[in-house]
Amino acid sequence: MGDVYDVQEISRELRITPTDTWKMGEFIRNTGKKYKYTGWLYSIGEEETLDINTQLKKLENVFLPKEDILCRLKSKYNLDFSIDIVIYIENQSPPAIYLESPIIKFAANLGARFDMDTYVH
């Protein structure tokens, strides 16, 4: 997340295709509201699991090798990073929710925040 930066440059530098991108001031689909920041989003996608680390490890595999690039981009464009975890609880079976050292260290090195949302079905 950041104010103004080239999302295509981020993709080229990381050699990763984002799931979604938007520019500050663009309309948020079907809301009539505008984005307050430029965004580059990568999603692992939904997966049924009883441990959030199943997906966090996939995130680590993609982004841990790119940590130096991410730090450089953060400095160059004054970016903020967020690791968002969305948990859908079904049949009263919540997953194990804990963070292992590698993802904590990675997030700390980037100055990233964790955002966790839970939804009960």
Side-chain angles (χ1 to χ4, degrees):
M1 298 176 283
D3 288 340
V4 179
Y5 62 92
D6 183 352
V7 293
Q8 291 182 6
E9 181 182 344
I10 302 298
S11 300
R12 279 191 304 273
E13 291 275 338
L14 293 173
R15 295 183 179 162
I16 296 173
T17 302
T19 306
D20 196 8
T21 63
W22 59 87
K23 293 181 182 174
M24 183 170 57
E26 288 182 346
F27 282 100
I28 302 170
R29 58 186 163 262
N30 303 323
T31 66
K33 297 179 183 179
K34 292 183 178 183
Y35 285 107
K36 295 181 180 178
Y37 59 90
T38 299
W40 187 99
L41 173 85
Y42 183 84
S43 175
I44 300 296
E46 288 186 33
E47 178 179 1
E48 189 172 326
T49 180
L50 290 176
D51 186 339
I52 66 168
N53 288 284
T54 301
Q55 288 193 297
L56 287 175
K57 289 199 183 311
K58 291 178 182 179
L59 187 72
E60 287 175 20
N61 289 338
V62 172
F63 288 102
L64 269 174
K66 314 271 185 185
E67 186 174 327
D68 291 341
I69 298 169
L70 290 165
C71 287
R72 185 171 38 78
L73 291 169
K74 177 184 176 105
S75 176
K76 181 176 182 179
Y77 293 112
N78 193 29
L79 300 176
D80 291 315
F81 295 113
S82 179
I83 299 170
D84 298 357
I85 302 166
V86 180
I87 301 166
Y88 296 96
I89 300 171
E90 296 183 5
N91 303 320
Q92 299 179 0
S93 299
I97 302 173
Y98 62 95
L99 302 173
E100 294 184 335
S101 296
I103 195 73
I104 293 169
K105 182 179 177 190
F106 174 69
N109 289 343
L110 295 177
R113 71 176 190 198
F114 287 96
D115 183 356
M116 295 188 194
D117 296 322
T118 54
Y119 300 92
V120 179
H121 288 231

